[in-house]
Amino acid sequence: YGADTAARVAGAVDEYGGRWRAMRDEACRATRVAGTQSESLLDRRMRCLDLRLAELRGAVGTFAAADQLDVVDGAVRTVARLTPLAGCADADALLALVPPPVAPAQRAAVDQLGGEIAAILAEVRARRTVDRVRELDGLLTRARATGWPAVRGDAGYALGYARYVAGDDVGAVAALRTAAVELAQAHDDAGVARTLQLVAY
């Protein structure tokens, strides 16, 4: 059933990518052409879309390098679990978030980490967990060094998810509870809900 799975996954990836391109174009036009959207909101929408692109690339990279049957088995499910793009159009939720860092070096570090975390989380969802828990531990340490609650929360969620997939329920819950606090400090209500839902599960 490999060919059928590939066709279904390719179609889903193309559809997600098409919506991503359309949303990025719309966000840019709203500020640069129509003047109906602030620069601050444009910045937040673009940062959100950058994270979604990193997640998509992580998933596609996993499929391209797939050498395990369970990656093929879970490919359709992995694409279905990509973070919905609708959050990148939710102006109220985006503006409620703690603003990104102003200092260029700190912002660059936060953005870099955010992309790495999103990509690895996509790989974890594809069941590539053997070498990812250790890597996510390292990313969490780097995230804590930035002093930025949003990226700390995202790293903690990814680590908790990886531990959960690897069968370490106790470690998963500990990481997720800490992540929920960090995400609450970042005013990321959707992130808190997602994290606590996994804790409850």
Side-chain angles (χ1 to χ4, degrees):
Y1 60 90
D4 177 63
T5 298
R8 293 170 63 192
V9 168
V13 166
D14 286 346
E15 192 271 337
Y16 190 94
R19 286 189 290 114
W20 183 93
R21 286 190 300 272
M23 186 173 289
R24 191 173 181 89
D25 183 66
E26 185 277 325
C28 186
R29 288 177 181 275
T31 297
R32 302 281 188 253
V33 179
T36 57
Q37 178 178 264
S38 68
E39 289 285 347
S40 176
L41 181 54
L42 173 63
D43 179 54
R44 294 182 190 215
R45 291 186 71 184
M46 290 301 189
R47 294 181 81 244
C48 179
L49 288 166
D50 285 346
L51 291 176
R52 301 293 74 79
L53 181 60
E55 184 180 353
L56 179 62
R57 283 177 171 159
V60 171
T62 301
F63 302 149
D67 57 0
Q68 301 173 35
L69 183 59
D70 60 349
V71 174
V72 178
D73 282 341
V76 174
R77 181 177 61 246
T78 298
V79 175
R81 289 180 177 173
L82 288 171
T83 305
L85 293 170
C88 297
D90 188 337
D92 291 338
L94 290 172
L95 291 173
L97 297 172
V98 171
V102 175
Q106 187 182 27
R107 174 159 181 157
V110 166
D111 288 346
Q112 173 71 25
L113 276 166
E116 291 181 49
I117 292 163
I120 292 174
L121 182 58
E123 293 183 40
V124 170
R125 286 176 173 152
R127 295 301 185 262
R128 288 195 153 208
T129 61
V130 176
D131 59 349
R132 292 311 189 187
V133 169
R134 185 178 296 106
E135 187 172 351
L136 285 166
D137 265 321
L139 284 180
L140 181 56
T141 299
R142 287 170 53 200
R144 286 175 175 157
T146 69
W148 214 252
V151 75
R152 293 197 308 259
D154 287 342
Y157 174 82
L159 175 61
Y161 191 95
R163 287 178 174 170
Y164 151 69
V165 171
D168 178 11
D169 290 346
V170 173
V173 168
L176 291 167
R177 284 179 172 163
T178 301
V181 174
E182 302 280 10
L183 292 167
Q185 291 173 353
H187 299 172
D188 184 352
D189 294 341
V192 172
R194 173 193 64 195
T195 303
L196 293 181
Q197 183 181 36
L198 185 53
V199 170
Y201 181 79

